[in-house]
Amino acid sequence: MTNTSSATVLSVVIPALNEATRIERTLDRLVVQDAIDEIIVVDNGSEDDTRRVVSDYSLAHPKVALVEESTRGIPAARKTGFDKAQGDLLARTDADTLVEPDWGEVIRDHLTEHPDTAAVTGITTYHDSPVGFFLKFGYYLQDRRGKLGGPVGNMHGPNMAIRRSAWLAVREDATTRADVAEDLDLALCLTKRGLRIDQLKNMRAQTSARRRRTNPRDWWRFQLTGLRTITEQGYQVLPFHRAVIVGAWLTHTVQWPIYRFWDFDRRRFTLRPAPPRIAPTGD
């Protein structure tokens, strides 16, 4: 597939907070894709060298731009990025995520060929997990049961895209609070307006599993942001929703001892447990 539509610009927005050691790998995957016309990194108040790293990178890669958002949290950073972007199509990923080489083409082609689709989300696995095969196997089982692909009611932040027209339609409804699940919040905004979200099995990305180092108590608090998001958007929290977060928490708790002794930089186990990670509500 090649980029045959010069009128349709695909912008990618990357919220970033203290990602100086990781973001270049993410950008390397994006800048080489002809289907991607613009990459906007939104620095969210980094205290490391993230701004310098991105600024230096942009000198060699003009499609990369750096903007700043002082209000902490992905919702505010994403909103700033989407507002600054020039694209008719607005994609989002994380600063520690590695997208597949055809990621931009998959997004552009699907939204071009399916004008009734407002947004897309994909399949996200881990690139640095010692037990990432469990997640891949889970996706395999879902696919075998016909549970992957097609219309869905949620999106995954590191692997999603939305039409600009759809963003403008829900922009005022989408929250900028840091204590909600921003991807679920955006999906609920779209759903309330009857706008379609498609899950694409060939829209692939690999994110970091380092959030799995969050201790179970803080992870439970993070899981509760999903219920808060549902309530804030005017929906009723159902027993199904509670069952989902309990299941997600139990899965995390079982794996947490493994990640405590996993060195993400060296990709090997260590005898000394790493310090717990803060729950991922704002990065």
Side-chain angles (χ1 to χ4, degrees):
M1 292 182 292
T2 57
N3 178 5
T4 59
S5 177
S6 59
T8 302
V9 177
L10 173 58
S11 300
V12 179
V13 170
I14 308 173
L17 175 62
N18 297 330
E19 299 285 7
T21 62
R22 303 174 184 90
I23 196 167
E24 285 189 88
R25 291 185 65 201
T26 296
L27 293 173
D28 286 344
R29 291 291 186 101
L30 296 168
V31 295
V32 296
Q33 298 192 29
D34 292 337
I36 296 173
D37 305 285
E38 178 184 45
I39 303 163
I40 296 180
V41 178
V42 184
D43 183 75
N44 204 200
S46 296
E47 298 170 348
D48 65 356
D49 287 335
T50 297
R51 288 188 294 275
R52 181 190 60 78
V53 169
V54 176
S55 294
D56 291 348
Y57 194 97
S58 67
L59 295 177
H61 303 281
K63 67 167 67 174
V64 176
L66 174 67
V67 300
E68 298 187 22
E69 173 51 60
S70 59
T71 301
R72 282 288 180 92
I74 291 178
R78 181 206 62 199
K79 184 175 184 179
T80 294
F82 280 3
D83 288 346
K84 294 285 186 181
Q86 300 297 310
D88 297 325
L89 309 178
L90 309 173
R92 185 177 99 62
T93 190
D94 283 344
D96 58 3
T97 299
L98 308 176
V99 303
E100 290 299 304
D102 63 348
W103 188 73
E105 291 183 59
V106 169
I107 293 170
R108 183 193 294 269
D109 288 353
H110 188 85
L111 290 176
T112 299
E113 296 166 6
H114 299 82
D116 293 334
T117 298
V120 292
T121 191
I123 306 301
T124 312
T125 54
Y126 293 132
H127 62 72
D128 57 3
S129 169
V131 291
F133 56 88
F134 284 121
L135 179 59
K136 293 179 180 179
F137 184 65
Y139 278 129
Y140 168 77
L141 292 179
Q142 290 183 60
D143 195 23
R144 286 289 300 270
R145 297 172 56 203
K147 300 297 185 181
L148 289 185
V152 292
N154 197 5
M155 295 187 287
H156 189 212
N159 191 6
M160 56 175 272
I162 183 174
R163 295 184 189 276
R164 170 179 290 280
S165 57
W167 166 245
L168 293 177
V170 302
R171 181 182 181 278
E172 298 305 317
D173 299 329
T175 187
T176 55
R177 289 173 49 176
D179 61 344
V180 300
E182 56 89 22
D183 42 10
L184 175 59
D185 178 77
L186 181 56
L188 293 177
C189 290
L190 293 169
T191 299
K192 284 198 295 187
R193 290 180 176 265
L195 298 173
R196 175 172 170 144
I197 305 167
D198 284 344
Q199 183 185 61
L200 309 182
K201 293 192 290 184
N202 60 338
M203 181 180 169
R204 302 252 172 185
Q206 298 178 66
T207 195
S208 175
R210 58 200 172 104
R211 294 164 184 81
R212 290 291 179 179
R213 193 176 283 163
T214 304
N215 68 60
R217 181 186 60 186
D218 288 337
W219 191 264
W220 176 251
R221 292 173 180 167
F222 169 62
Q223 290 297 318
L224 291 178
T225 63
L227 300 185
R228 184 181 303 116
T229 304
I230 293 171
T231 302
E232 288 294 320
Q233 283 297 339
Y235 289 87
Q236 181 181 1
V237 173
L238 302 175
F240 166 77
H241 299 136
R242 298 186 185 278
V244 168
I245 70 164
V246 169
W249 179 80
L250 287 173
T251 300
H252 174 83
T253 300
V254 169
Q255 297 180 13
W256 177 63
I258 298 174
Y259 285 108
R260 286 194 69 202
F261 292 91
W262 178 250
D263 187 324
F264 283 93
D265 295 323
R266 298 181 179 181
R267 307 291 175 86
R268 68 185 188 187
F269 286 102
T270 176
L271 295 177
R272 179 176 299 178
R277 179 175 169 79
I278 301 301
T281 55
D283 63 345

